[in-house]
Structure formats: structure tokens, C-alpha cells
Amino acid sequence: MLSASSRANRFWWDGNADEYQVEHGEFLRDAGFMWCPEGVDEAEARLLGAVEGKDVLEIGCGAAQCSRWLSTRGARVVAFDISHRQLRHSQRIDLETGLRVPVLQADAESLPFRDGAFDVACSAFGAMPFVAAPLSVLTEVKRVLRRGGRFVFSVSHPIRWAFPDDPGERGLTSDRSYFDRTPYVEADDDGTPTYVEHHRTMGDWVGLIAASGLTLTSLMEPEWPDGHDRVWGGWSPLRGRHLPGTAIFTCSA
């Protein structure tokens, strides 16, 4: 059974997938692996290591742009997302590019895969910020990875929670406690959640990774690169020069 957070976010992404792909599709590329709005590209960052001949799982894949890129590098990729509409966009891009990626609809808190099925798992802003039980996801990832496997995931940097989600000057002044873990929730007129995003501090993420049995091996806080002027929601050159916008965790099983 889906949690309230999962139900809300499935509803939200089904309703907003079209707009999201129109707005961000060019930046993401049909077969490209972009970790974050700062523009960290897996082709250069190589956070996943060599993937040729490896079994790779993408968690919260959206339209599977990352998986499609991985397939061009010789990986055997499986991808899933909670949103059916996002997966329809994956099918559309498959037809347009001729690069077909196997995708399925699933919830990250209960992975429909056998133990030790994958060498690598990855998630670029997929699922991890939106789930109510991140330890369940991390534990599931640990279960489906082979011994020595790697999991890399990116999320909004925890410090951003203390600042308004505004790309301008207003977004540079803290207006809430970094330690307030109250989720951000949007609801309909009946009070039913329609979008939920959860906040964990950096310490929370480290503790969750350790509790899952994974080992944190690297933490990347990308700086905003010179010449990159694209605004994505609360991410912008102005804020990026002052505050980290993304945290990328690399873990081993």
C-alpha cells in the first residue's frame, strides 16, 4: 500500500509531467545524465564508475533520460518511477530516439527486484526527497545491490530548507530553522495531500545511510559553474554563488 506521501507525489507528477518535460527536457537531454541543476554531468563526473557490462537500476527515473545515456555506455539498465505519465514520456523518447529502456511503475519504498540483482543503483533527484521512509528505500537498495555495489543519489542540499525557494535576493535570507523537519505539503480543498517533500539534515542523511548497512564513501556539494546562467526553480547563479543547492551521496554495499 502506498504511503500518503507516495500517493500525493504520484498524483502530482502525473499532473505535471508534461510541463516538466517541456521546461527541462532540453537541459536533461533525451539521452543524458545530469545529476543536478548545477549541471554536473555523469559523462564528466563519472560518479558511477565504469558501467559497461554492469546491471544498473535507476530509481525515480522520470522519462529515463539518465538510463538511456547509461545504455549507450554498455550498461544493462532497468528504470522505474512512481508516475505513469513520466513513464509515458519515456516511451515517447524511446520511439523518437530508437534507444529503448525497460521501465516499470513502482514505489521506491518496496522494490520489485530480487536480492543482489544489480551492480549499481542511481537516483538523480528521484524519489529520495519525496519519500516518507527514506530508510526503507536505502535498505531496499542495499538488498538489491551485489556485494561491493555502488549507490549514488542526489537531493536538494539540506541547507536550502532554511531559505525561501526563491532564485532572487529573497532566497538569500533564512526564514526558518534548518532543524525544522516538518514536511512541505500542498493539499487540495479537502485537505488531501497533493504534493509532499521531506527535509532531512545532513546528519540525518549520514545516519540513515549508516543504518541501512550502506557505507558512505563520498559527498559532493557542487559549486555553481561560471557561465551557467540557467534558473531552475530556486536554483540560480545568484544563490549558487552563496549556497550549495545539491548534495550528491556515493555509497557502497
Side-chain angles (χ1 to χ4, degrees):
M1 180 180 295
L2 293 178
S3 68
S5 291
S6 294
R7 287 195 302 271
N9 288 313
R10 181 175 64 180
F11 174 84
W12 192 91
W13 282 107
D14 279 346
N16 289 272
D18 293 358
E19 180 181 350
Y20 177 88
Q21 293 299 332
V22 168
E23 183 176 0
H24 302 298
E26 182 178 358
F27 178 70
L28 296 174
R29 308 189 308 275
D30 290 343
F33 198 133
M34 200 65 71
W35 280 107
C36 55
E38 289 89 346
V40 177
D41 194 323
E42 176 61 14
E44 300 171 354
R46 297 182 60 81
L47 299 178
L48 300 178
V51 297
E52 184 175 2
K54 293 187 177 180
D55 296 305
V56 181
L57 173 66
E58 184 181 3
I59 297 166
C61 66
Q65 287 96 336
C66 297
S67 287
R68 210 167 283 107
W69 179 86
L70 288 166
S71 72
T72 69
R73 296 303 186 270
R76 295 183 294 271
V77 189
V78 176
F80 75 88
D81 200 274
I82 199 169
S83 166
H84 179 262
R85 187 61 185 172
Q86 285 280 50
L87 298 179
R88 291 289 290 171
H89 281 284
S90 177
Q91 292 175 328
R92 169 184 59 80
I93 297 172
D94 282 354
L95 292 172
E96 292 172 353
T97 63
L99 299 171
R100 297 182 181 274
V101 174
V103 297
L104 68 154
Q105 187 174 16
D107 183 11
E109 293 182 21
S110 181
L111 300 182
F113 306 105
R114 61 177 173 79
D115 296 359
F118 300 97
D119 301 297
V120 177
C122 58
S123 185
F125 278 86
M128 301 304 291
F130 307 107
V131 294
L135 181 57
S136 295
V137 179
L138 291 165
T139 302
E140 281 287 87
V141 171
K142 172 69 163 54
R143 178 182 65 79
V144 302
L145 281 175
R146 293 168 185 143
R147 185 174 182 84
R150 184 180 302 191
F151 177 41
V152 185
F153 68 95
S154 60
V155 296
S156 297
H157 196 288
I159 195 62
R160 294 184 75 244
W161 198 260
F163 295 81
D165 194 30
D166 187 316
E169 293 282 349
R170 178 171 168 269
L172 297 178
T173 302
S174 174
D175 65 354
R176 70 204 77 178
S177 171
Y178 169 76
F179 300 103
D180 181 359
R181 295 167 176 82
T182 306
Y184 171 77
V185 180
E186 296 176 5
D188 62 18
D189 293 340
D190 297 326
T192 302
T194 57
Y195 178 90
V196 181
E197 190 168 346
H198 295 269
H199 168 55
R200 283 103 197 178
T201 67
M202 193 66 81
D204 290 341
W205 279 118
V206 172
L208 287 163
I209 291 167
S212 73
L214 294 166
T215 300
L216 179 64
T217 59
S218 178
L219 170 61
M220 182 179 186
E221 299 170 294
E223 295 186 43
W224 196 272
D226 293 337
H228 180 42
D229 59 1
R230 190 177 194 278
V231 173
W232 181 325
W235 283 265
S236 68
L238 174 65
R239 294 189 76 195
R241 287 192 293 268
H242 293 271
L243 299 167
T246 299
I248 308 177
F249 297 87
T250 299
C251 314
S252 63

